Amino acid sequence: MSPPPEQTTLTVALVGNPNTGKSTLFGVLVGVHQHVGNYPGVTVEKKTGRMEDAGRRYELVDLPGLYSLAPRSRDEMIAVDILLGRVKDCPPVDAVICIVDAGNLQRNLYLVSQVLELGLPTVVAVNMLDVAKKHGITVDLERLERQLGTPVVAIQANRQIGIARLKALLAETVTSKSREGETPFPEPFEDEVTRLEAFLAEHWGNDRRPLPRYLLRRLLLDVNGYLEGVLFPQRDATLRGRLEAARARLGETDYAVPAVETAARYDWASRVLDGVITQPSQYKTTTSDRIDRLLTHRIWGTLIFALLMVVVFQSVFVWAEPVMGLIDTATEAVGGWVEARMATGALQSLLVDGVIGGVGAILIFLPQILILFLFIAVLEDCGYMARAAFLMDRMMARVGLCGKSFIPMLSSFACAIPGIMAARVIQNERDRLTTILVAPLMTCSARLPVYALLIAAFIPARKYLGGLLNLQGLTLAALYVLGIVTAVVVALVLKKTILRGETPPFLLELPSYKWPSPQIVFYRVVQRGWLFVRCAGTLILAVSIIVWAALYYPHNAEVVEAPYHSRQQQFQARLDRLAVGDHKREEISRQLAQIDRQIAGAYQRQSLLGRLGRLVEPAVRPLGWDWRIGCAVIASFPAREIVVATMGVIYNLGEDLDIESEEGATQLHLKMRSATWDGTDRKVFNVPVALSIMVFFALCAQCAATLAVIRRETGSWCWPAFTFAYMTTLAYLGAMVTYQVGMWIGT
Amino acid sequence: MVDKAISLSDLVAGQSACVSHITGRADHVHRLEEFGVRGGTKIKMFRPGNPCIIRMAGNKVCLRSDDLLRVLVRPV
């Protein structure tokens, strides 16, 4: 049943400090009707949801958790713009629910004071009174409501207590006439704001809409110039002079900016809280304190953290394996089904190899990605993530990053995509970018098939220290170390060059521990997983199709298949002559299959990609590669692990090759070991060549999905292009040095 | 001795103090104040070092300071 047309939807913004239970309240209010997207043009997460109550329809906007409505970064700017109704495609806000933590009212009221200044109908929801009580803090809510002058309601979001009353108050408030914006600022400051307002009105005339007074105040307070840069992208020297003069005048009084704001707002908060809170003079030791004594301990805490990470990674690989096998089998089955039902030709090949193969290559990593998202969501929601950031901060600070970069980096060992998406928790823009740009250097699970193939084929299984160490294992470990060391160096260089800048103070609240909410965890995993599938899926599909086309065309059947025809017919005729139970049939079928693979190989060689491989051979020769390796590397641009299948195809083994099975692997190993440079007896592969390929894959950015996610998270194609360029350069140089040094040592 | 302001990093675990003032760039100090760390705030050192964890009214905060940003406190 559709609502009557005259009924309008009211927009309500949910505002609050981080760790006040804001996400929980949002979940309780909107239930399953939630939607995650992005604000137009920026990559700040936009969480909205629908709610119906007493015949009214509400659209709830969950703003990012903030300590202050002072725009100094993108998410703070978005929150302010939403509240002021300045965002395109977003309706103006009709009312605000401000959620505050009962245990920390003083600081929470700082934000409330900023919200009240906007003049919007506001309901203040006091959450976690139960936790505050355990700390020995009691709150007189009636008195608070009286002194605050806006409706106050006690809630317990995680137990859905007080929600009906909150909705009733919201309905009441939203219909009341909008309130007068209150200012806690002293008169001299407000005089300067009025002066600025008059100046701008005169300066602009009627060309621009006048700025809300809230933003005028912020312009004066924002000594860093972020807001000025956003509002006036073409720097305005007159305005700058005006602002500086005003700040200088205020500096001569007792009201220097920006200190005047904190002084004024905390004074206001003290007046509002007068007689409202009773708290013990000594902090009570809480359960969280007891847990923290262990978990933030330099030695024990770090040890537990390391153990936890081992468990997480074990689970990621162990739990994901059966599902990955299933997806693999399913992809093959679907491919086979389509193949059997369609006529041989370009369309069949496009669907089977391009579309289904491409989608399969991305879906196969979905289980790992989802499991990692699950762990991250649980650790975030129970409060442990902040402790991990504390423990790792000392180490990360040496690289010029902060502790929050650690989990994204670590996740990247399974897959760079959840790592890059987890970097959202880093507020400092430069740290976040640095983390995103070096995350793909961590050895992800897609590199393992490549390493497994080449190490098994070319690195001798030598044992040291009585079998405790072996050369193959050491090579694998060295490749992991290579990735980490390169990431550290690149991060340092980035922080000293293009991402240089002053680091704001590292501040992190350690919330009280709580049991993770299944609902919040579920939504976070599903929403992030879906974002990944949508964004990476479309791009990887496009790239897979391009690579497929380059490997398929020009498809000249007569020229390619003619040399094999006579042998093929010969075998077929012999096969037809033999009786059904004859043991020779098997041998002849095998020969036929071999010819099919040779034909497939011949197609590859004369394809666009094959020709391209030959074209780039001079460029990859210093790396010790022949055109076939060059070709396989180009083909693996959508996803690294494709290189294994492509090598199999190019070395005439057919793409059904299963690297998991011992037999298939041995076959490919033998084939690769015996491969020679075209027209000579010289072997293509030796240890330096194998090492050179592995070093290349350790450092390169051969993963379209990662690049797509970087594009999504940074909002620009510049950063993925930069990542691809720097990683490919490093990979090329690294591979060249490896090969040349290897050959020099070898001779 | 009690009256003298010392650096936050000089507090030992379990020691209580009162923030005296914060030195550093105006906008960095502002951010700290918005976070609740400001003159007059009663704190208790939970885990000394850099970064350190301090206990404040109702919550715990992890904080890394450097030469450019110093929190000065008076032990109580």
Side-chain angles (χ1 to χ4, degrees), chain A residues 701-722:
Chain A
Q702 303 277 85
C703 178
T706 299
L707 296 174
V709 169
I710 295 180
R711 147 87 182 92
R712 202 183 169 282
E713 296 294 303
T714 59
S716 122
W717 276 111
C718 285
W719 293 114
F722 173 78

Side-chain angles (χ1 to χ4, degrees), chain A residues 335-395:
Chain A
W337 188 82
V338 172
E339 200 169 10
R341 267 154 197 78
M342 282 179 73
T344 312
L347 190 63
Q348 182 215 40
S349 176
L350 168 68
L351 274 180
V352 175
D353 299 328
V355 177
I356 298 172
V359 171
I362 187 97
L363 284 183
I364 194 126
F365 288 99
L366 197 58
Q368 285 192 344
I369 291 174
L370 288 182
I371 294 172
L372 255 177
F373 280 152
L374 175 73
F375 276 111
I376 292 176
V378 168
L379 292 178
E380 252 172 21
D381 202 46
C382 74
Y384 184 74
M385 218 50 137
R387 276 75 180 181
F390 162 75
L391 288 169
M392 290 300 122
D393 185 68
R394 194 180 281 245
M395 195 172 87

Side-chain angles (χ1 to χ4, degrees), chain A residues 294-307 391-392:
Chain A
L294 181 67
L295 291 189
T296 64
H297 191 274
R298 245 342 58 108
I299 297 159
W300 299 120
T302 313
L303 205 68
I304 291 171
F305 175 67
L307 275 175
L391 288 169
M392 290 300 122

Side-chain angles (χ1 to χ4, degrees), chain A residues 411-474:
Chain A
S411 312
S412 304
F413 278 103
C415 177
I417 289 150
I420 289 165
M421 286 167 87
R424 284 181 185 174
V425 296
I426 308 167
Q427 276 105 21
N428 179 2
E429 200 58 23
R430 287 188 210 91
D431 281 7
R432 183 167 160 256
L433 256 179
T434 312
T435 309
I436 288 177
L437 295 183
V438 302
L441 281 169
M442 300 297 160
T443 303
C444 64
S445 50
R447 282 168 171 108
L448 283 175
V450 187
Y451 294 165
L453 172 73
L454 291 166
I455 289 180
F458 298 104
I459 306 296
R462 238 173 258 151
K463 285 199 168 36
Y464 306 101
L465 296 178
L468 204 63
L469 297 171
N470 76 72
L471 192 59
Q472 293 187 330
L474 286 175

Side-chain angles (χ1 to χ4, degrees), chain A residues 418-655:
Chain A
I420 289 165
M421 286 167 87
R424 284 181 185 174
V425 296
I426 308 167
Q427 276 105 21
N428 179 2
E429 200 58 23
R430 287 188 210 91
D431 281 7
R432 183 167 160 256
L433 256 179
T434 312
T435 309
I436 288 177
L437 295 183
V438 302
L441 281 169
M442 300 297 160
T443 303
C444 64
S445 50
R447 282 168 171 108
L448 283 175
V450 187
Y451 294 165
L453 172 73
L454 291 166
I455 289 180
F458 298 104
I459 306 296
R462 238 173 258 151
K463 285 199 168 36
Y464 306 101
L465 296 178
L468 204 63
L469 297 171
N470 76 72
L471 192 59
Q472 293 187 330
L474 286 175
T475 310
L476 188 63
L479 288 163
Y480 271 86
V481 172
L482 176 71
I484 298 170
V485 170
T486 314
V488 167
V489 174
V490 172
L492 276 173
V493 171
L494 284 175
K495 290 288 284 185
K496 290 234 158 73
T497 54
I498 52 170
L499 295 174
R500 190 177 43 203
E502 217 170 320
T503 338
F506 177 62
L507 277 171
L508 188 65
E509 191 175 352
L510 306 184
S512 299
Y513 289 103
K514 67 181 184 73
W515 289 107
S517 137
Q519 202 196 14
I520 288 184
V521 169
F522 172 79
Y523 278 115
R524 217 167 273 171
V525 173
V526 168
Q527 284 160 348
R528 293 206 168 162
W530 174 238
L531 275 182
F532 159 71
V533 170
R534 214 179 45 191
C535 127
T538 43
L539 187 96
I540 210 159
L541 190 61
V543 178
S544 305
I545 290 171
I546 292 170
V547 170
W548 164 83
L551 260 170
Y552 187 83
Y553 289 107
H555 199 78
N556 197 334
E558 276 148 43
V559 178
V560 173
E561 290 188 26
Y564 300 94
H565 265 316
S566 60
R567 269 206 310 148
Q568 205 174 15
Q569 275 163 359
Q570 232 176 320
F571 280 117
Q572 193 61 51
R574 273 172 64 187
L575 191 66
D576 293 341
R577 274 203 302 276
L578 287 169
V580 173
D582 202 311
H583 65 282
K584 277 188 191 155
R585 282 186 74 98
E586 213 173 288
E587 170 60 26
I588 293 171
S589 301
R590 205 177 293 145
Q591 295 276 359
L592 269 172
Q594 180 66 23
I595 294 174
D596 280 345
R597 291 194 205 107
Q598 281 171 353
I599 293 175
Y603 273 125
Q604 307 260 329
R605 274 193 289 278
Q606 60 85 54
S607 68
L608 274 178
L609 196 69
R611 290 173 201 191
L612 193 63
R614 266 183 255 238
L615 199 70
V616 300
E617 196 180 85
V620 298
R621 216 174 250 268
L623 279 55
W625 303 356
D626 74 340
W627 70 269
R628 282 170 288 206
I629 304 176
C631 201
V633 169
I634 299 172
S636 69
F637 171 72
R640 302 183 169 82
E641 66 281 8
I642 291 176
V643 79
V644 175
T646 316
M647 276 195 178
V649 172
I650 294 178
Y651 287 102
N652 258 350
L653 262 154
E655 55 183 329

Side-chain angles (χ1 to χ4, degrees), chain A residues 232-389:
Chain A
F232 311 97
Q234 298 92 18
R235 298 269 161 190
D236 191 326
T238 344
L239 174 73
R240 161 61 58 93
R242 282 284 175 144
L243 283 173
E244 264 159 23
R247 285 178 196 143
R249 278 194 296 275
L250 286 167
E252 279 164 21
T253 64
D254 286 340
Y255 310 113
V257 288
V260 62
E261 187 190 14
T262 40
R265 292 198 199 283
Y266 280 122
D267 277 354
W268 174 85
S270 303
R271 284 199 301 278
V272 169
L273 288 178
D274 181 44
V276 169
I277 315 177
T278 43
Q279 56 186 354
S281 55
Q282 284 283 316
Y283 301 129
K284 267 196 185 168
T285 306
T286 58
T287 321
S288 279
D289 288 339
R290 269 178 230 118
I291 300 173
D292 268 337
R293 243 173 241 153
L294 181 67
L295 291 189
T296 64
H297 191 274
R298 245 342 58 108
I299 297 159
W300 299 120
T302 313
L303 205 68
I304 291 171
F305 175 67
L307 275 175
L308 188 67
M309 290 300 118
V310 169
V311 171
V312 167
F313 272 81
Q314 285 290 324
S315 324
V316 166
F317 287 105
V318 173
W319 294 356
E321 218 173 67
V323 191
M324 287 169 85
L326 272 179
I327 293 176
D328 202 25
T329 321
T331 316
E332 251 172 59
V334 173
W337 188 82
V338 172
E339 200 169 10
R341 267 154 197 78
M342 282 179 73
T344 312
L347 190 63
Q348 182 215 40
S349 176
L350 168 68
L351 274 180
V352 175
D353 299 328
V355 177
I356 298 172
V359 171
I362 187 97
L363 284 183
I364 194 126
F365 288 99
L366 197 58
Q368 285 192 344
I369 291 174
L370 288 182
I371 294 172
L372 255 177
F373 280 152
L374 175 73
F375 276 111
I376 292 176
V378 168
L379 292 178
E380 252 172 21
D381 202 46
C382 74
Y384 184 74
M385 218 50 137
R387 276 75 180 181

Side-chain angles (χ1 to χ4, degrees), chain B residues 2-40:
Chain B
V2 174
D3 272 312
K4 247 173 117 194
I6 59 168
S7 176
L8 182 68
S9 52
D10 294 334
L11 289 181
V12 295
Q15 196 175 3
S16 292
C18 184
V19 176
S20 146
H21 63 286
I22 307 167
T23 62
R25 261 179 51 172
D27 54 333
H28 290 176
V29 176
H30 191 63
R31 206 178 258 266
L32 230 67
E33 288 181 342
E34 289 182 334
F35 204 72
V37 185
R38 58 192 200 101

